[in-house]
Amino acid sequence: MTKVDIVSGFLGAGKTTFIKEMIAKVYKGQKVVLIENEFGEIGIDSGFMKNAGIEVTEMNSGCICCTLVGDFARSLKQVVEQFSPERIVIEPSGVGKLSDVAAAVADVSMEAGITINSRITVVDGKKAGMYMKNFGEFYNNQIENATTIVISRTQNMDEDKLKECISLIREKNEEASIITTPWDKLEGEAIEAAIGHGQNLEKELMEEYMREHEHYEHHDHDHHHEHDHNHGEDCTCGCHDHDHHEHDHDHDHDHDHHKHDHDHHADEVFDSWGIETVHVFTKSGIEDIMGLFGTTDDFGTVLRAKGIVEIEDGNWVEFDMVPEEVEIRETTPDYIGRICVIGADLNKDELAKVFDK
């Protein structure tokens, strides 16, 4: 089944440029058909796309939400039959509603042999607030119905303005992944992760702890029933990690009431906090925060902290902290900075103060 990406964006937001980046970096080597529809004008970028080996089908009979009702279903079916593409990228008119486009594609998905992979909206970061105010429903519809939101021209915005833009977007859409890193800095894997509806670091870490805790409960149960299970020093089942965490937790913080109660599920024992951030950190600043987690109870009991953020020299780092052990390493830029903390009785206000500057 052919996967479809719908890339919307208000006039001049930069959606065609993003499509070029996406096709070159994410879908390189795959057979892609681009369907363009600009309101009342010819697709001026089709020459570039054809030179890149991308088939272009232009639809210029008006707003895409109108043409979809008529011949678009037939057009999609013909595209699939004629080209057998792995991907179809639809670039609708900048004045169309994303919800209408997505609904029309979904309506013909079985007939045409396609499935929607993502609904992407490109937003000019410097104009988002003005467009929300002046164009209301039409502009907001593109943001509200996106699974990925790409903020363009972020290299021309200061941190406060970028945070303000993200806040406005989050008021309309809490779930979409947001790309804030300039596209030329991103590798294909980061763009693909965002298009794949994001990597929820908080969910990822919480599920990891739940799995570990459930295994620990099972091991403890087996131990009491005298099942044989040899846990040597090289055992990778996670039980030693939990013992280490519990030991540090009890010794350093003296929170005996947080010992793993085997009558409770992991989600009742552990707490989590996570943010997206565009703040630019220093490596020493991250080290200082990690140090505080191990020396004070101001933040609650921190068992794990993980994140990927930009630092002052323009590079990105990934940090990973467990009690008494911190690793900070350089990494490739991500589509937005992300931080997650796992622990017990976390003080989320204090965490926000040190991380969300």
Side-chain angles (χ1 to χ4, degrees):
M1 187 162 285
T2 301
K3 293 183 179 180
V4 175
D5 296 296
I6 305 169
V7 184
S8 69
F10 226 48
L11 297 169
K15 59 182 182 293
T16 301
T17 305
F18 177 74
I19 288 172
K20 293 175 184 177
E21 290 284 322
M22 181 175 70
I23 291 175
K25 293 182 177 180
V26 181
Y27 300 151
K28 184 177 181 180
Q30 298 185 46
K31 193 168 187 179
V32 181
V33 170
L34 171 67
I35 297 178
E36 293 182 313
N37 175 239
E38 281 303 330
F39 184 69
E41 61 185 63
I42 297 172
I44 58 174
D45 293 293
S46 60
F48 170 88
M49 297 298 184
K50 286 176 181 175
N51 289 337
I54 300 156
E55 299 289 347
V56 180
T57 300
E58 294 175 0
M59 298 172 52
N60 306 111
S61 54
C63 174
I64 197 167
C65 57
C66 302
T67 58
L68 284 176
V69 177
D71 66 350
F72 191 70
R74 184 171 66 252
S75 297
L76 274 178
K77 191 174 180 180
Q78 288 175 347
V79 164
V80 173
E81 290 174 351
Q82 181 176 351
F83 299 110
S84 300
E86 296 169 80
R87 302 277 179 176
I88 294 176
V89 178
I90 299 176
E91 180 183 359
S93 165
V95 294
K97 282 188 176 182
L98 178 54
S99 61
D100 288 344
V101 180
V105 174
D107 285 345
V108 300
S109 59
M110 293 301 295
E111 179 185 352
I114 60 176
T115 182
I116 295 179
N117 180 59
S118 67
R119 303 185 303 275
I120 302 169
T121 295
V122 182
V123 172
D124 185 331
K126 300 180 75 172
K127 298 177 181 176
M130 177 183 69
Y131 283 168
M132 283 183 182
K133 181 178 179 181
N134 293 343
F135 297 100
E137 175 189 358
F138 288 96
Y139 188 77
N140 292 338
N141 182 276
Q142 293 187 356
I143 293 175
E144 291 165 354
N145 290 278
T147 56
T148 300
I149 295 171
V150 183
I151 305 180
S152 63
R153 304 180 176 93
T154 55
Q155 62 269 41
N156 300 322
M157 301 174 67
D158 62 33
E159 187 175 306
D160 289 340
K161 289 294 184 183
L162 185 51
K163 286 181 177 179
E164 182 181 338
C165 177
I166 292 171
S167 179
L168 290 172
I169 289 171
R170 282 298 180 217
E171 288 178 8
K172 307 295 182 184
N173 188 327
E174 296 181 355
E175 301 298 327
S177 53
I178 300 178
I179 298 179
T180 60
T181 305
W183 309 330
D184 58 351
K185 289 186 176 181
L186 288 175
E187 295 186 358
E189 290 82 359
I191 299 175
E192 186 175 20
I195 293 172
H197 309 164
Q199 297 169 316
N200 190 322
L201 194 61
E202 187 174 354
K203 182 180 178 182
E204 175 188 314
L205 279 185
M206 180 58 79
E207 287 178 348
E208 179 181 326
Y209 262 86
M210 288 179 71
R211 286 194 302 270
E212 289 180 354
H213 186 71
E214 286 167 1
H215 179 88
Y216 185 80
E217 285 180 336
H218 180 69
H219 163 59
D220 186 72
H221 178 77
D222 286 350
H223 175 75
H224 285 299
H225 286 80
E226 297 182 354
H227 290 293
D228 292 332
H229 184 77
N230 185 17
H231 292 261
E233 290 182 1
D234 296 328
C235 175
T236 58
C237 72
C239 59
H240 291 298
D241 290 338
H242 254 286
D243 291 342
H244 173 65
H245 287 177
E246 281 191 5
H247 172 76
D248 290 336
H249 175 74
D250 295 335
H251 177 74
D252 293 338
H253 300 288
D254 196 27
H255 285 303
D256 291 338
H257 60 286
H258 288 315
K259 286 182 179 179
H260 301 328
D261 184 342
H262 300 299
D263 293 327
H264 290 80
H265 295 292
D267 57 355
E268 296 174 327
V269 176
F270 298 117
D271 197 5
S272 67
W273 173 88
I275 59 164
E276 298 171 330
T277 181
V278 294
H279 181 67
V280 178
F281 291 82
T282 64
K283 187 175 180 181
S284 61
I286 295 171
E287 291 171 343
D288 290 344
I289 295 170
M290 298 298 105
L292 288 173
F293 288 165
T295 57
T296 177
D297 288 336
D298 292 348
F299 306 95
T301 302
V302 176
L303 296 175
R304 182 83 178 273
K306 188 174 183 179
I308 179 169
V309 296
E310 185 177 1
I311 57 176
E312 282 187 336
D313 60 3
N315 290 319
W316 284 66
V317 297
E318 185 174 11
F319 63 86
D320 200 337
M321 170 263 177
V322 295
E324 298 184 355
E325 184 178 339
V326 178
E327 182 181 5
I328 302 175
R329 55 187 176 275
E330 285 196 6
T331 189
T332 55
D334 208 344
Y335 57 86
I336 192 171
R338 295 172 296 136
I339 296 168
C340 180
V341 177
I342 299 286
D345 284 347
L346 295 179
N347 187 328
K348 299 178 181 181
D349 291 337
E350 291 299 316
L351 287 169
K353 285 180 184 178
V354 294
F355 277 124
D356 195 16
K357 307 289 186 180

